[in-house]
Amino acid sequence: MKLQGKVALITGAGSGFGRASAQLFAQEGARVVLVDVNESAARQTQATLEGSESAVVAADVTRAADTARMVQAAVERYGRLDILFNNAGISVPPRPAEDVDEETWDRIMAVNLKGVFLGCKYAIPVMKRQGGGVILNTASVAGLRPRLGTLPYATSKGAVITLTKALALELAPHRIRVNCLAPVAADTPLLRTIVGDDPQALQSRMASIPWGRLATVEDVARAALYLVSDDADMLTGVCLPVDGGRSL
Ligand SMILES: NC(=O)c1ccc[n+]([C@@H]2O[C@H](COP(=O)([O-])OP(=O)(O)OC[C@H]3O[C@@H](n4cnc5c(N)ncnc54)[C@H](O)[C@@H]3O)[C@@H](O)[C@H]2O)c1
């Protein structure tokens, strides 16, 4: 059991990578705080964690008060917070830069970037007090190698990669590791907001991945487990592609 006795908070835990990671972290002994703006989705995840200790917190990661409350809920319930997994994110259908409206830009940045910052902001004092912790952020291969038409999404994820490195530097003296994942396309509801139901769009994504398939939520959860576990004790400031070679 790689996470025995640890307390892990996961945002976006109601679906996709967040749900799969919650399941794997719980199997590995973690007590998991499941955070999502969609409370019923988080409860559905909780229902799959048989026999594991978990809590659900409905929170919107774009709101400072909500992110403060989610961290507080973890500490009140379990007395500590060892792992913060900032994973919630959104995307939009591809479009040329000049057709991106201001509201869309702001919304993407608010969820994908500010949400990560706010999670860190409120977890850091807790982790400093404890003498250490681990932060993991979900970036994207889009932040390393953007696709056409993904300007706000790719930019937000590129910024998450930089945030991760800057924070890793700042927090190393406090024994807090900070890393991020850069997954390639996986068939989750988020991907459907980009490719819709067009099988050809999905096919062309697949064709651009040297390994020859999309990522699965389990691929991403296993990489997340590695980075948040003590196996990765020497890794900080790393952006780990889970991309079948797409970023090469
Ligand atoms: N699926 C992919 O192809 C892919 C590839 C690379 C990176 N990612 C990233 O992985 C992360 C998870 O994506 P996924 O594919 O599992 O998506 P998903 O749509 O399956 O799940 C995202 C979850 O985040 C929640 N969420 C959205 N906005 C929120 C907010 N403001 N506050 C709290 N929760 C919120 C949603 O309710 C949902 O449950 C995202 O950051 C995404 O950008 C996804």
Side-chain angles (χ1 to χ4, degrees):
M1 299 263 256
K2 292 190 182 291
L3 303 180
Q4 191 66 53
K6 306 271 189 196
V7 177
L9 186 158
I10 303 175
T11 69
S15 179
F17 301 159
R19 175 173 291 178
S21 300
Q23 290 165 340
L24 187 57
F25 290 10
Q27 272 171 36
E28 291 292 333
R31 290 166 285 171
V32 191
V33 181
L34 307 160
V35 176
D36 207 291
V37 70
N38 180 342
E39 184 176 355
S40 78
R43 293 215 175 277
Q44 284 169 35
T45 298
Q46 186 177 41
T48 70
L49 308 181
E50 286 157 20
S52 300
E53 182 66 37
S54 65
V56 167
V57 180
D60 179 343
V61 297
T62 68
R63 294 169 180 269
D66 281 24
T67 47
R69 185 169 48 77
M70 77 186 184
V71 170
Q72 198 184 344
V75 174
E76 273 171 14
R77 175 105 180 217
Y78 298 121
R80 55 188 298 110
L81 178 60
D82 301 291
I83 297 162
L84 170 67
F85 186 10
N86 287 307
N87 165 74
I90 56 167
S91 193
V92 287
R95 68 196 62 165
E98 66 270 32
D99 293 344
V100 175
D101 57 80
E102 186 180 357
E103 196 185 330
T104 300
W105 179 272
D106 287 347
R107 183 72 195 147
I108 294 262
M109 292 300 160
V111 179
N112 294 3
L113 180 56
K114 182 179 160 193
V116 172
F117 160 67
L118 288 174
C120 295
K121 177 177 166 63
Y122 293 105
I124 289 167
V126 176
M127 291 181 173
K128 281 186 177 175
R129 268 201 307 277
Q130 286 170 186
V134 182
I135 295 172
L136 179 64
N137 303 319
T138 306
S140 167
V141 75
L144 296 169
R145 190 175 174 205
R147 284 181 198 273
L148 276 177
T150 63
L151 185 74
Y153 183 77
T155 305
S156 72
K157 294 302 189 176
V160 168
I161 295 168
T162 304
L163 177 153
T164 299
K165 293 179 184 177
L167 212 47
L169 198 60
E170 183 177 328
L171 296 179
H174 301 279
R175 317 309 301 159
I176 301 170
R177 296 190 296 109
V178 190
N179 292 300
C180 67
L181 295 171
V184 76
D187 197 359
T188 66
L190 179 138
L191 184 67
R192 293 294 167 174
T193 64
I194 307 169
V195 300
D197 288 326
D198 178 2
Q200 224 163 0
L202 212 55
Q203 199 55 44
S204 82
R205 270 171 202 261
M206 208 125 61
S208 71
I209 302 170
W211 200 245
R213 65 169 175 84
L214 299 182
T216 64
V217 295
E218 291 81 12
D219 290 326
V220 176
R222 283 191 294 268
L225 172 64
Y226 170 61
L227 285 175
V228 303
S229 76
D230 292 343
D231 288 346
D233 187 57
M234 193 59 181
L235 280 76
T236 195
V238 163
C239 174
L240 180 67
V242 186
D243 72 345
R246 157 74 190 157
S247 56
L248 299 173

